[in-house]
Amino acid sequence: MERSRADRILADWDRISRQARRPGLPPRRAVTTALPASTITGAALIVMVVVAAGLWFGLPPGAGQPGALVSASPVEPAPSPVEASASPVDTWGPLAVIPPQDGADTLAAEAKGWTVAEEAARDRAAGIVGAIAEQVAQERPDVFVGSALSEQPGGAPTLYVKGPADKFVRDLVDASDIEIILAENQPFSLDELDARQMRLSDALVALGFRNFATGANIVGGGQITVAVTIEPGLPSRPEEILSALPADLRSSVELTIKDTPVVIDTTSFGGTLRITDTCVFLESRGEVTLLFWPADRTTWSAESRAISFANLDGNVATVGDGDHVVLGGGGAGEAGSGISGEEWVRRTDWVAPPDLSCPLDPRWGVGALEAVP
């Protein structure tokens, strides 16, 4: 099946869920561009730039991250999914299965171990702080840095600004329907962070590197993280690379050296499906992620050891062990949610719980599925 169809399914799910992101990756927002210029818009926790063979890749604008303004246009109802399996729990085989889900908030809450009300409150906070962030970005671009959601249930979102906040910014925050933490006196605006990140990227390209990823953390005081794939004939020690970078950037760079490619596909969460006697998980770039499935859209075939999943567009995807897949849905891990895999299993309402011997961290609730060549 053509990849474009898989991309469309994931885009449909993202529009509905506004929460589909890979576990363990911090929220980020960027626009696709080409060397050497770049434009970063909106509010974000991480500004990520990935380089491979001289090309830049980024998340599609408005990908449901904090600070993104989401269209309020109604979504057409999907055709009725296939009938849920009425088999006893033990006929689910190795699948981890949760009860039918009412919406994206439920799926995201299940992944984090939160209540649906807590996830809905976080989603509401994202819309409110995102709208304020957009206003600040438009009216005060010289001080705007970004916004971030709390990783704790009920926690207040944060708006970051360079230097002291003026009356315009304070009035927006004070007029909000929810509590917003105002983090003043940040060292750089978002535009300045972008410029510093671009200078770092240009310096790495000038050194001959073609496979690296950089990220500017707005909550890290202007710290720029960079992962570089070592190539023959180029500097291979961190101190060698750092010494060749612009002097005013060196103290702000956190450098990681890798032997394998660091470029990632930021438009979807995909990998190789693995089905064992006890677990179903995804292998992707050396990492494994437990998958859990909604009962009303999932069917397990013990005879063929295959999973059939009803997508929201009515298409039923059937996959087996070793198939390459792309997924929509929502996920979390202990690093982001503060909840261990075992505690998450204990808190979650299950139709068929995962075996505790399975990799429980991170985990991903499947909301869309497509096999790819």
Side-chain angles (χ1 to χ4, degrees):
M1 184 169 292
E2 295 182 0
R3 180 62 181 268
S4 59
R5 190 187 194 294
D7 290 340
R8 178 171 61 80
I9 288 176
L10 289 174
D12 289 345
W13 171 257
D14 186 51
R15 185 180 70 246
I16 295 170
S17 71
R18 297 180 292 162
Q19 292 293 336
R21 56 177 176 260
R22 182 179 176 179
L25 289 182
R28 59 194 186 274
R29 175 115 174 256
V31 296
T32 303
T33 182
L35 285 169
S38 174
T39 302
I40 304 295
T41 61
L45 176 59
I46 293 290
V47 180
M48 178 68 76
V49 177
V50 180
V51 180
L55 298 178
W56 296 82
F57 296 89
L59 283 176
Q65 309 302 338
L69 294 180
V70 181
S71 171
S73 58
V75 177
E76 292 296 326
S80 300
V82 295
E83 292 292 330
S85 173
S87 304
V89 170
D90 59 3
T91 64
W92 287 107
L95 274 69
V97 182
I98 55 176
Q101 302 302 290
D102 294 329
D105 286 340
T106 306
L107 188 61
E110 291 283 1
K112 296 174 185 170
W114 292 11
T115 67
V116 175
E118 289 168 341
E119 182 62 31
R122 188 178 192 268
D123 191 50
R124 177 172 180 266
I128 293 174
V129 74
I132 292 175
E134 292 286 348
Q135 294 182 65
V136 177
Q138 293 173 6
E139 300 295 332
R140 298 290 190 273
D142 55 326
V143 303
F144 173 71
V145 182
S147 64
L149 298 179
S150 173
E151 293 299 330
Q152 300 302 317
T158 302
L159 179 70
Y160 295 86
V161 295
K162 176 186 175 182
D166 63 11
K167 184 177 184 300
F168 172 78
V169 175
R170 289 189 175 278
D171 285 349
L172 286 176
V173 172
D174 291 342
S176 172
D177 292 338
I178 62 172
E179 177 190 1
I180 296 177
I181 299 170
L182 183 57
E184 303 177 80
N185 300 311
Q186 302 301 310
F188 305 106
S189 69
L190 185 62
D191 286 342
E192 290 169 335
L193 281 174
D194 178 33
R196 290 168 64 83
Q197 191 176 348
M198 289 301 303
R199 288 177 57 213
L200 172 61
S201 298
D202 289 343
L204 290 170
V205 170
L207 288 172
F209 291 103
R210 290 296 182 270
N211 194 290
F212 60 85
T214 68
N217 190 344
I218 69 171
V219 304
Q223 193 76 6
I224 301 175
T225 60
V226 56
V228 178
T229 298
I230 297 302
E231 301 177 39
L234 299 180
S236 59
R237 293 185 298 157
E239 56 269 25
E240 291 179 304
I241 299 174
L242 287 172
S243 65
L245 299 178
D248 62 318
L249 296 180
R250 294 171 194 165
S251 62
S252 300
V253 174
E254 181 180 329
L255 179 64
T256 302
I257 302 298
K258 293 183 174 293
D259 296 325
T260 55
V262 298
V263 170
I264 59 175
D265 177 5
T266 57
T267 61
S268 62
F269 178 38
T272 303
L273 184 69
R274 292 302 181 194
I275 302 175
T276 72
D277 290 339
T278 53
C279 311
V280 177
F281 54 89
L282 194 75
E283 285 186 342
S284 180
R285 302 175 186 90
E287 299 179 355
V288 295
T289 300
L290 179 77
L291 303 180
F292 61 97
W293 310 75
D296 57 333
R297 299 169 60 195
T298 309
T299 302
W300 165 252
S301 171
E303 181 179 358
S304 61
R305 295 189 60 79
I307 303 167
S308 294
F309 185 83
N311 286 295
L312 295 176
D313 66 351
N315 175 67
V316 178
T318 299
V319 292
D321 181 59
D323 286 347
H324 298 291
V325 299
V326 287
L327 303 173
E334 183 173 2
S337 66
I339 299 174
S340 69
E342 291 77 8
E343 177 66 11
W344 166 71
V345 171
R346 188 186 67 81
R347 293 186 182 190
T348 302
D349 182 21
W350 294 101
V351 173
D355 192 285
L356 293 181
S357 66
C358 296
L360 303 176
D361 183 44
R363 52 266 182 186
W364 183 273
V366 178
L369 170 68
E370 192 70 23
V372 295

